[in-house]
Amino acid sequence: MSGVSFKSACDVVIVGAGPAGLAAAALTAEAGLAALVLDENPAPGGQIYRAITTTPVRNRTVLGADYWHGAQLIEDVQRSGAEIATGTAVWSLDRALEIGVSRAGKAGMIRARRVILATGALERPFPIPGWTLPGVMTAGAAQTLLKSSGLVAVGRTVLAGMGPLLWLLAAQMLRAGATIEAILDTTPRANYRRALRHAPSFLRSPLFAKGIGLMREVRAKVRIVGNVTELAAEGDTRLRAVRFARAGGQAQRLEVDQLLLHQGVVPNVNLAMAAGVAHRWDRVQLCWSPVIDADGNTPVPGIAIAGDGAGIAGARAAEERGRLAALAALRSLGVSAPMQESAVRRALQRHQAGRRFLDTLYQPLRRFRIPDGDTMVCRCEEVTAREIRATVALGCEGPTQMKSFLRCGMGPCQGRLCGLTVTELIADARGCAPEDVGYYRLRPPVKPITLGELAQLPPGSTPVQAA
């Protein structure tokens, strides 16, 4: 937010201004602590509530009631006195709880007594042939354009993939006046059978009614093609068509102008891993999740993780996780809490109900996670699946070693767009489990920072002024 400045030391520093970060900030500041929220976006809200204070979409029905719930979180933070520094990238965090930040071309260091990482989620990579063509983008990117600029795709648009966000985006686009040619649903039929045993808790969840409502709204206006098992984008200098096939069926081709891809979200783990937080392979969500306790505390003293960065559970669950992490921070600093922990845990349990059903139902097909041939894996360094498999055959056993051979994960995204794919691809080529392969060894800076900024850092902590 404009007009704020932050000191070189704070009681609690929260990284990320999404639902978890905002909830944690409001609670810690209300209890009397000096709370600082750092976020690289121009306004608070995270991905879920992106641009909620600035969006040009004033018709509230377009983005829906769940989106506008974020406005209350912003108001709570403003009343609490917590400080929000937007446009601020966090590029390092160490075990001494010293945080490296960069804003407007200037770098500095901040010390904290407690750190809460609320870095949220990233869209899972969806590496199909042609996914790097102009005209192909993720559903999350399309939703960002809608929220921040009020823009929707024009022309022939197809959505492909699976998961709640795909249906939510389709409904939001339709409400905004867009036309969708088709949705190519890649949810495997076998997943429905496996998810059935988790159905009772899902039927009692508030997510059930919301999901059914979205699907009915979209199905009334859009052609749905289910059980899609083959998918590729075709084109020359840009996307021209999408080729797909259903299980056991013939290949079909649709001429399109835009293809929006999505197959779920995964925790954004880069900063936590660089800080030395241990992570484990989640065999249900098929991603890396941090090792935390019931309050979000990690094995690294003073560092907690809240929200979807601690494991995917949704926006409202993330909010309650943020409060739990804040309550743990208050206890550790000897400060009385302004709310009952039991109420927070009950709310979290309610919002997490049915999560196992969704995780099982929307577990992506192997072929959409582990590509082959000349399908691009690392977009930054233009490394293909074939090259990775060939390098494994030479004796390369893990992602970190793969960096030395092919530079995978060394581009601007620092592995965010390829990391999971590289792990699973190496595991498949070696015939072992992803946990036996591991992830990239991440070190600061985890976000791009210029040598000039680093050179300007004097010894010791340096206050950074936010405009």
Side-chain angles (χ1 to χ4, degrees), residues 225-267:
V225 181
N227 203 26
V228 171
T229 57
E230 302 288 343
L231 191 63
E234 297 180 345
D236 36 47
T237 57
R238 60 159 291 110
L239 174 71
R240 304 295 179 186
V242 57
R243 188 180 72 254
F244 66 95
R246 303 179 68 184
Q250 296 291 322
Q252 301 179 55
R253 188 175 184 274
L254 278 176
E255 293 187 358
V256 297
D257 298 301
Q258 290 90 28
L259 174 62
L260 307 181
L261 297 173
H262 180 78
Q263 57 175 354
V265 294
V266 295

Side-chain angles (χ1 to χ4, degrees), residues 25-261:
L27 185 51
T28 49
E30 186 182 346
L33 294 180
L36 170 65
V37 184
L38 305 172
D39 195 284
E40 61 187 306
N41 292 305
Q47 176 59 28
I48 299 294
Y49 306 126
R50 183 178 291 275
I52 197 163
T53 59
T54 59
T55 180
V57 183
R58 307 319 300 172
N59 181 349
R60 292 195 167 213
T61 62
V62 171
L63 296 175
D66 285 346
Y67 173 76
W68 292 105
H69 170 77
Q72 183 61 54
L73 290 177
I74 302 291
E75 291 177 13
D76 292 344
V77 173
Q78 291 172 335
R79 281 197 304 269
S80 74
E83 189 174 15
I84 302 182
T86 54
T88 304
V90 175
W91 48 268
S92 75
L93 168 63
D94 62 23
R95 289 174 176 263
L97 306 189
E98 190 168 55
I99 304 143
V101 298
S102 172
R103 192 185 196 285
K106 295 183 179 179
M109 307 300 293
I110 302 169
R111 286 190 178 274
R113 298 170 69 191
R114 295 280 301 188
V115 174
I116 298 175
L117 299 181
T119 50
L122 301 168
E123 284 188 90
R124 180 188 295 277
F126 201 157
I128 62 170
W131 73 311
T132 59
L133 283 169
V136 182
M137 61 194 300
T138 69
Q143 191 183 55
T144 294
L145 285 174
L146 175 57
K147 291 175 178 177
S148 61
S149 304
L151 298 175
V152 292
V154 297
R156 299 162 298 183
T157 302
V158 168
L159 278 64
M162 60 165 66
L165 177 61
L166 198 73
W167 293 97
L168 174 60
L169 174 63
Q172 291 172 335
M173 290 177 63
L174 292 171
R175 295 170 197 161
T179 300
I180 299 174
E181 296 290 316
I183 293 179
L184 307 179
D185 188 353
T186 61
T187 308
R189 283 182 178 167
N191 283 15
Y192 288 92
R193 294 191 295 272
R194 294 193 298 113
L196 270 179
R197 66 192 184 99
H198 305 295
S201 62
F202 180 65
L203 294 175
R204 295 190 298 268
S205 164
L207 299 173
F208 173 70
K210 291 178 183 179
I212 291 296
L214 283 174
M215 295 177 80
R216 284 176 176 169
E217 180 182 353
V218 174
R219 286 179 180 276
K221 298 179 180 179
V222 180
R223 173 194 174 198
I224 310 297
V225 181
N227 203 26
V228 171
T229 57
E230 302 288 343
L231 191 63
E234 297 180 345
D236 36 47
T237 57
R238 60 159 291 110
L239 174 71
R240 304 295 179 186
V242 57
R243 188 180 72 254
F244 66 95
R246 303 179 68 184
Q250 296 291 322
Q252 301 179 55
R253 188 175 184 274
L254 278 176
E255 293 187 358
V256 297
D257 298 301
Q258 290 90 28
L259 174 62
L260 307 181
L261 297 173

Side-chain angles (χ1 to χ4, degrees), residues 271-287:
L271 184 59
M273 281 192 171
V277 174
H279 284 67
R280 61 178 179 81
W281 180 258
D282 188 320
R283 297 190 180 189
V284 177
Q285 294 189 348
L286 300 177
C287 61

Side-chain angles (χ1 to χ4, degrees), residues 263-405:
Q263 57 175 354
V265 294
V266 295
N268 182 355
V269 299
N270 280 37
L271 184 59
M273 281 192 171
V277 174
H279 284 67
R280 61 178 179 81
W281 180 258
D282 188 320
R283 297 190 180 189
V284 177
Q285 294 189 348
L286 300 177
C287 61
W288 297 103
S289 294
V291 176
I292 57 173
D293 66 16
D295 296 321
N297 294 314
T298 73
V300 180
I303 298 179
I305 303 178
D308 278 349
I312 305 303
R316 297 302 291 269
E319 187 179 322
E320 303 305 335
R321 285 173 164 182
R323 293 190 177 102
L324 284 178
L327 290 171
L330 295 177
R331 279 197 304 273
S332 71
L333 298 176
V335 178
S336 298
M339 68 165 49
Q340 292 294 320
E341 182 178 322
S342 58
V344 178
R345 292 198 183 278
R346 285 195 301 272
L348 176 59
Q349 185 177 21
R350 184 172 65 254
H351 291 304
Q352 284 183 320
R355 189 72 231 177
R356 194 65 174 226
F357 175 87
L358 293 175
D359 291 341
T360 304
L361 178 63
Y362 292 126
Q363 192 178 83
L365 273 172
R366 177 187 181 280
R367 69 189 64 193
F368 293 139
R369 305 188 330 265
I370 306 174
D372 54 21
D374 293 324
T375 300
M376 199 71 69
V377 173
C378 177
R379 300 169 64 116
C380 298
E381 300 295 332
E382 298 186 342
V383 179
T384 67
R386 189 189 311 279
E387 291 173 307
I388 290 174
R389 288 187 182 276
T391 305
V392 172
L394 292 175
C396 179
E397 296 187 343
T400 298
Q401 190 179 10
M402 189 70 68
K403 284 184 180 182
S404 301
F405 284 86

